[in-house]
């Protein structure tokens, strides 16, 4: 592998829980500690989880949404995140970082920023598929109010030339939807960075609890294989404010195989060498879109939202 000029050493920067009282400065220290370990191991890109700067605050209801404003970033980098940007640039490491974004217009997005090794911002991605609910549902053991605290982005899944390849981003619930990967697959994506916060307990159907780990890998492995791309899935996990969150961060090859996986439920670096040229083995054969796709047949997937049953 190491003879290819397009091998990039990537790390999943898995985070253990962030409790509500933990300060931004403390969290950024943890991110920098992972980054310094990554530097020692020759990593060029580290992917952090969704909402990696704070506890997963959509688990609490506030009547006035602005009651949670302190969980959002109004600039990136800001004063408290600048040390991460400085450390990354000093070590020549790029990163993808999930955070809550509050725009000057008062819009709220679940955002990931991709930063190159020289410290320049490549792009921001704003989460498309927003799960959960928007009003208080006290029957749940805990809330999942993402639909109260975040808007659905209309910017879609764009890809970017960076790190010597074609990079994409998605966030948590996005990873369960095949359209996420195919939208980027159709732009030639070679590596998708995905952060997640996945409670083990799924209140609408607890029968799925035992399958959380299986479903996590199932969807990311399928997305990688069917589009011939690397997928880096990174958890914030462990027991956060009494809620158990899925770990099992994984680096997945274009073959769909997991090549490296976290073994803890805490802060952990998972490293693998990703040969971006491996993508072509799938993109140019079984998944040669130009030859085999039938978009003239797929008219429902781009235009129809819900299910329309036959008469
Ligand atoms: N942060 C998330 O998007 N979590 C969802 C849960 C609610 C199902 C997920 O898809 O993991």
């Amino acid at each position: 592998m190491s003879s290819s000029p397009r091998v990039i050493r990537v790390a999943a920067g898995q985070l253990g829980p962030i409790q509500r009282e933990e300060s931004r400065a403390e969290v950024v220290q943890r991110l920098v500690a992972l980054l310094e370990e990554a530097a020692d191991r020759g990593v060029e890109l580290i992917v952090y989880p969704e909402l990696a700067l704070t506890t997963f605050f959509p688990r609490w209801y506030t009547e006035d949404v602005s009651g949670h404003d302190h969980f959002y970033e109004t600039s990136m980098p800001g004063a408290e995140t600048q040390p991460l940007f400085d450390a990354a640039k000093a070590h020549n490491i790029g990163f993808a970082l999930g955070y809550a974004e509050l725009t000057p217009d008062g819009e709220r997005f679940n955002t990931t920023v991709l930063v190159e090794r020289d410290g320049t911002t490549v792009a921001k991605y704003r989460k498309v598929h927003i799960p959960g609910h928007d009003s208080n549902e006290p029957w749940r053991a805990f809330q999942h109010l993402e639909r109260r605290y975040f808007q659905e982005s209309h910017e879609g899944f764009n890809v970017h030339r960076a790190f010597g390849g074609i990079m994409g981003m998605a966030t948590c619930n996005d990873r369960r939807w095949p359209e996420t990967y195919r939208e980027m697959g159709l732009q030639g994506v070679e590596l998708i960075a995905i952060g997640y916060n996945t409670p083990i307990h799924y209140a609408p159907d607890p029968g799925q609890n035992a399958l959380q780990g299986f479903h996590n890998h199932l969807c990311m492995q399928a997305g990688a294989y069917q589009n011939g791309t690397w997928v880096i899935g990174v958890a914030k996990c462990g027991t956060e404010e009494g809620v158990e969150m899925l770990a099992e961060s994984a680096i997945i090859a274009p073959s769909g195989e997991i090549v490296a996986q976290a073994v803890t439920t805490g802060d952990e670096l998972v490293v693998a060498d990703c040969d971006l040229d491996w993508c072509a083995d799938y993109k140019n054969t079984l998944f040669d879109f130009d030859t085999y796709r039938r978009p003239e047949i797929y008219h429902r997937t781009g235009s129809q939202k819900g299910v329309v049953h036959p008469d």
Side-chain angles (χ1 to χ4, degrees):
M1 262 193 179
S2 58
S3 61
S4 167
R6 293 219 307 143
V7 174
I8 170 171
R9 187 163 292 177
V10 175
Q14 176 176 285
L15 286 178
I18 300 175
Q19 308 305 344
R20 189 170 187 154
E21 294 313 315
E22 200 166 339
S23 70
R24 286 282 201 300
E26 288 169 310
V27 176
V28 169
Q29 266 179 23
R30 288 169 58 184
L31 299 175
V32 170
L34 284 169
L35 191 131
E36 285 171 348
E37 184 188 339
D40 289 343
R41 296 173 67 178
V43 167
E44 294 157 88
L45 168 64
I46 178 168
V47 179
Y48 295 112
E50 173 192 38
L51 300 176
L53 295 169
T54 67
T55 199
F56 189 77
F57 62 88
R59 70 169 64 92
W60 294 293
Y61 176 79
T62 55
E63 184 65 37
D64 181 357
V65 170
S66 64
H68 274 357
D69 276 1
H70 56 287
F71 289 119
Y72 292 77
E73 312 302 311
T74 52
S75 62
M76 186 55 66
E80 287 160 313
T81 46
Q82 188 64 52
L84 175 66
F85 282 70
D86 293 343
K89 190 173 174 185
H91 290 294
N92 199 32
I93 298 182
F95 64 89
L97 176 75
Y99 64 99
E101 178 188 11
L102 179 55
T103 73
D105 297 337
E107 293 189 297
R108 296 166 192 274
F109 296 106
N110 188 335
T111 299
T112 296
V113 64
L114 180 65
V115 178
E116 252 289 9
R117 291 156 287 191
D118 63 1
T120 56
T121 294
V122 176
K124 275 183 189 173
Y125 164 73
R126 291 166 168 163
K127 188 172 181 177
V128 167
H129 300 100
I130 307 292
H133 50 109
D134 61 8
S135 54
N136 200 17
E137 297 190 4
W139 60 269
R140 293 174 183 251
F142 51 88
Q143 307 290 296
H144 197 102
L145 287 156
E146 277 196 69
R147 293 184 73 81
R148 183 171 192 83
Y149 298 119
F150 297 114
Q151 293 158 239
E152 293 175 329
S153 160
H154 298 287
E155 294 163 4
F157 296 101
N158 302 306
V159 303
H160 315 279
R161 288 196 182 276
F163 300 93
I166 302 180
M167 304 285 133
M169 292 173 272
T171 304
C172 196
N173 191 259
D174 289 326
R175 76 194 188 287
R176 302 186 192 272
W177 299 90
E179 295 87 348
T180 296
Y181 306 91
R182 185 48 51 88
E183 279 290 307
M184 291 188 270
L186 284 166
Q187 300 168 78
V189 75
E190 295 176 316
L191 187 149
I192 305 178
I194 304 180
Y196 59 89
N197 280 263
T198 297
I200 302 284
H201 176 63
Y202 184 60
D205 180 17
Q208 296 179 29
N209 295 1
L211 299 172
Q212 287 291 0
F214 168 62
H215 289 157
N216 178 44
H217 288 163
L218 175 71
C219 55
M220 293 195 293
Q221 289 182 259
Y225 167 63
Q226 291 167 346
N227 294 278
T229 181
W230 289 89
V231 170
I232 319 299
V234 188
K236 176 149 67 62
C237 54
T239 307
E240 190 178 88
E241 295 293 338
V243 177
E244 201 187 339
M245 313 278 284
L246 181 70
E248 300 182 17
S249 301
I251 298 181
I252 300 162
S255 60
E257 295 164 289
I258 293 176
V259 298
Q261 185 180 325
V263 293
T264 73
T265 56
D267 291 11
E268 180 182 343
L269 204 69
V270 181
V271 178
D273 286 337
C274 301
D275 183 351
L276 300 180
D277 289 330
W278 192 355
C279 300
D281 292 353
Y282 289 85
K283 290 183 190 296
N284 296 340
T285 60
L286 261 170
F287 297 110
D288 174 353
F289 290 171
D290 254 340
T291 304
Y292 300 119
R293 285 189 78 250
R294 300 289 310 282
E296 71 279 17
I297 302 293
Y298 311 145
H299 49 95
R300 291 184 186 85
T301 53
S303 60
Q304 182 179 317
K305 188 169 161 89
V307 174
V308 178
H309 292 112
D311 290 339

